[in-house]
Amino acid sequence: MVVCFAGGLAVRDWHEPVQVRYNVVVCVEHANDGKVGVTFVSNSEVRVRFAPSPTGALHIGGARTAYFNWLFARQQGGKFVLRIDDTDAVRSTEASAVQILDAFAWLGLDYDEGPGVGGPYGPYRQSERYDLYRRRLQALLDAGRTYPCFCTQEQLAEDRKRAQEAGVAPRYGGRCRHLSAQEIDEFLASGQTPVYRLRVKETNSVVVRDEIHGDVTFSATEVDDFIIWKADGHPTYHFASCVDDMEMNITHIIRAEEHLSNTPRHVALFQALGYAPPRFAHVPMILSQDRAKLSKRHGATSVQEFRDDGFLPEALLNGILLLGFAPGNDQEVITRDEALKGFDLQRVSRHSAMYDVKKMQWLNAHYIKSMAAVDLLDRLWERISGMVAEGVTPDRERVAWVLGVIRAQQERVRTLWELADAVVAYVQEVGEYDAAGVKKHFSAVAATRLRKATAALQAVEPFIAPRIEAVYRELIASLDMKGGELIHPTRLAISGRTVGPSLFELMQLLGRDACIARMRTAAKWIEERNLAANSE
């Protein structure tokens, strides 16, 4: 038998009439073997949601799920809803909620409805929707679809023990399922506070059609009469989430694979509440290269950590897109505009995605290299403005100078902060020299060579890279030495480092006076160091 429901689905039985709530067609197939197959087909405006719990920073797995939802909604011309699932009063914090909203703003993921934006189905925080949950619980009680359970923890523990001894999966045995009204009143009169369980219809199995995993079969043993309302007067995650998805007319639920096992319960809840389940798509888990769950030892794992480490939001979005989505070619650099055109749930892998922090760094370096210097300066200015102002005026001269430094360095760094450090290094006096570089390049004779080089630099006019290089080549030839014997000590003297952009471009950017001053300082430092060593 095949029963197709348009809009919602039967309140108490598959055969009852239904109300049209949104244009979703649900086909429920009853096979002779007792299996129930549920197929979801949507004709309505696409409405997706991302519903994080504010118990910490936004993890890259959550950010990936949010991005997939955002792409799907924008691609389909639908609505993207942000809902804060903060029913866990113990672990949820306002600071975490604010951090999640900040992460969305930084990533550039705008939402059509949600905190700070509003919308027709608000409020968008579960902690502000308890009255709605209570009404829905009462409706289920009135319809006989839920019942109070007074089982003690000791009774439930004993039930689990017996199931384990019998070699079967533990499940609620239904001790309170058939309590009479008198028995319920007696329990309540004795002061016992019940939980409430959903009265789940019996079937052999449930087959759910997932947009990524295809048909997924769940045994009836996986769906018992589960708790939907806790004894402390709060809804469970499952109940509140399903009620909100229905009330907000969510048509597609794109979420992490770890929620796939919850789907039979959610389908049962949707059915009990009398609404058509949304379509489901469960995106793959994200594992480390050693196939372990991500942790601090694998590098940055939250959006805030990547932001603090100097990543560009464009690079992070590109990186998390590739954690499960295959564009169908070898392309690895995929901008947001390109993702909007090419994203397809059918191209999302069923297999776990491997997180590679080196690839994230490579992508970030690529985006830095590709970005206009003025745009990079805009991202860096708050961090470097106080350090590059002194001695570089007026503003026009300062900005032009910093842009030149950025252009010289942006192909050699992996993060914004590496670029910021490189820019600042041009302005601040060298505080210390690279230890390995000192051992290799700051010999006693290096001081003499640096002083000869400073004398030669006095005559360079104009002080530009080609002229500087020409003078250096002449000096190297006249002293009959290898180029590195002068070039390496010079770089170390003016930057404190052994690597960086072209030495002569670096010297041009620093200017004659700064170069000569730093080289003289380094020569004096070498001489004093050698003098101290000889006197010991």
Side-chain angles (χ1 to χ4, degrees):
M1 178 179 66
V2 176
V3 183
C4 290
F5 298 142
L9 58 104
V11 175
R12 294 184 179 83
D13 189 85
W14 297 111
H15 306 281
E16 292 188 6
V18 298
Q19 61 179 5
V20 176
R21 184 141 194 263
Y22 50 92
N23 297 324
V24 174
V25 176
V26 180
C27 294
V28 183
E29 302 177 14
H30 290 261
N32 293 331
D33 60 3
K35 291 184 178 180
V36 175
V38 186
T39 306
F40 311 99
V41 184
S42 174
N43 300 333
S44 68
E45 174 190 58
V46 165
R47 289 180 58 81
V48 299
R49 53 68 164 177
F50 178 64
S53 297
T55 56
L58 181 62
H59 189 271
I60 58 168
R64 188 269 309 266
T65 300
Y67 191 32
F68 282 13
N69 275 278
W70 184 90
L71 286 170
F72 187 72
R74 296 291 175 260
Q75 190 181 69
Q76 301 294 323
K79 294 292 191 295
F80 176 47
V81 179
L82 176 62
R83 186 177 74 221
I84 303 298
D85 284 6
D86 57 351
T87 51
D88 187 341
V90 175
R91 298 175 61 223
S92 296
T93 67
E94 182 59 24
S96 294
V98 170
Q99 194 173 45
I100 290 170
L101 298 180
D102 287 346
F104 265 71
W106 182 72
L107 290 169
L109 298 181
D110 59 317
Y111 45 94
D112 302 293
E113 301 171 26
V117 174
Y121 301 102
Y124 292 90
R125 291 175 180 259
Q126 287 189 335
S127 58
E128 300 173 7
R129 298 172 64 85
Y130 283 125
D131 287 345
L132 171 63
Y133 305 142
R134 293 187 185 95
R135 290 198 302 271
R136 288 298 180 187
L137 176 66
Q138 188 60 52
L140 288 178
L141 281 167
D142 294 342
R145 298 306 304 270
T146 189
Y147 60 89
C149 173
F150 299 92
C151 293
T152 64
Q153 292 300 316
E154 291 74 18
Q155 289 174 316
L156 296 174
E158 183 61 30
D159 291 344
R160 285 192 294 271
K161 181 180 178 182
R162 283 199 296 268
Q164 291 168 352
E165 291 173 349
V168 297
R171 56 181 280 126
Y172 181 63
R175 183 182 290 106
C176 294
R177 183 178 177 123
H178 302 292
L179 291 177
S180 66
Q182 180 179 346
E183 288 173 316
I184 292 173
D185 288 341
E186 289 174 355
F187 274 118
L188 293 174
S190 68
Q192 295 190 49
T193 303
V195 298
Y196 288 86
R197 294 180 180 271
L198 186 71
R199 196 184 301 274
V200 177
K201 289 181 177 293
E202 295 183 3
T203 183
N204 290 344
S205 62
V206 175
V207 180
V208 173
R209 215 148 280 164
D210 187 271
E211 298 295 304
I212 296 171
H213 294 270
D215 288 352
V216 184
T217 301
F218 297 93
S219 169
T221 59
E222 298 180 59
V223 190
D224 58 0
D225 287 2
F226 57 95
I227 297 171
I228 63 172
W229 199 270
K230 296 179 284 189
D232 63 5
H234 290 82
T236 63
Y237 158 77
H238 302 293
F239 184 68
S241 181
C242 288
V243 168
D244 287 341
D245 287 338
M246 292 182 303
E247 291 294 327
M248 295 179 181
N249 282 342
I250 301 302
T251 63
H252 296 71
I253 294 179
I254 304 171
R255 60 186 179 186
E257 185 181 358
E258 49 261 41
H259 292 292
L260 182 57
S261 60
N262 295 330
T263 306
R265 294 186 174 194
H266 292 178
V267 169
L269 267 168
F270 287 127
Q271 293 169 356
L273 289 161
Y275 293 99
R279 298 173 73 169
F280 295 95
H282 291 88
V283 299
M285 294 180 64
I286 301 176
L287 301 177
S288 65
Q289 292 295 306
D290 58 4
R291 303 196 69 81
K293 187 176 180 181
L294 286 185
S295 65
K296 293 289 186 183
R297 67 187 176 89
H298 299 116
T301 57
S302 74
V303 173
Q304 187 62 47
E305 286 176 316
F306 277 100
R307 186 178 182 179
D308 292 343
D309 287 347
F311 276 70
L312 293 167
E314 299 92 332
L316 184 55
L317 285 176
N318 191 154
I320 61 178
L321 174 70
L322 297 176
L323 292 174
F325 174 72
N329 51 38
D330 294 330
Q331 183 179 2
E332 290 190 311
V333 177
I334 305 173
T335 66
R336 187 162 64 171
D337 287 343
E338 291 172 329
L340 275 170
K341 294 176 183 177
F343 183 75
D344 186 345
L345 285 174
Q346 299 304 311
R347 289 183 175 176
V348 175
S349 175
R350 300 181 182 184
H351 307 293
S352 297
M354 296 293 109
Y355 171 72
D356 185 353
V357 69
K358 290 183 179 179
K359 176 173 280 191
M360 290 291 196
Q361 292 169 344
W362 177 85
L363 284 167
N364 201 53
H366 173 85
Y367 276 86
I368 289 174
K369 291 176 186 177
S370 305
M371 187 171 288
V374 68
D375 292 329
L376 286 170
L377 178 57
D378 181 52
R379 310 283 182 107
L380 294 172
W381 189 247
E382 288 186 8
R383 189 178 182 97
I384 68 174
S385 59
M387 292 178 279
V388 302
E390 185 177 352
V392 190
T393 55
D395 284 347
R396 184 174 63 181
E397 180 184 340
R398 174 174 56 174
V399 170
W401 181 83
V402 174
L403 288 174
V405 176
I406 288 174
R407 293 188 188 98
Q409 291 282 3
Q410 69 184 106
E411 293 191 1
R412 297 174 172 84
V413 298
R414 296 176 302 172
T415 71
L416 285 176
W417 307 153
E418 287 181 7
L419 182 56
D421 290 344
V423 171
V424 171
Y426 286 105
V427 181
Q428 293 181 331
E429 293 296 328
V430 178
E432 58 183 16
Y433 303 105
D434 178 81
V438 168
K439 186 176 181 180
K440 188 172 184 180
H441 304 303
F442 271 8
S443 61
V445 70
T448 302
R449 292 168 178 167
L450 286 173
R451 292 194 182 280
K452 289 182 178 180
T454 61
L457 290 176
Q458 296 281 8
V460 176
E461 193 66 43
F463 199 77
I464 58 176
R467 298 289 181 95
I468 300 169
E469 182 175 5
V471 167
Y472 254 58
R473 297 304 176 191
E474 291 176 8
L475 181 60
I476 290 168
S478 67
L479 295 176
D480 192 24
M481 61 182 176
K482 296 178 181 179
E485 292 177 319
L486 180 60
I487 289 174
H488 293 317
T490 301
R491 181 187 297 280
L492 186 58
I494 66 176
S495 69
R497 306 177 184 188
T498 58
V499 295
S502 163
L503 172 63
F504 306 114
E505 291 178 6
L506 170 61
M507 296 174 77
Q508 173 185 309
L509 286 166
L510 280 174
R512 187 199 323 270
D513 292 344
C515 287
I516 290 176
R518 293 185 183 192
M519 291 166 70
R520 286 174 174 169
T521 298
K524 183 179 179 182
W525 186 88
I526 295 170
E527 292 164 348
E528 291 177 347
R529 178 172 176 270
N530 289 335
L531 182 62
N534 293 333
S535 64
E536 291 179 356

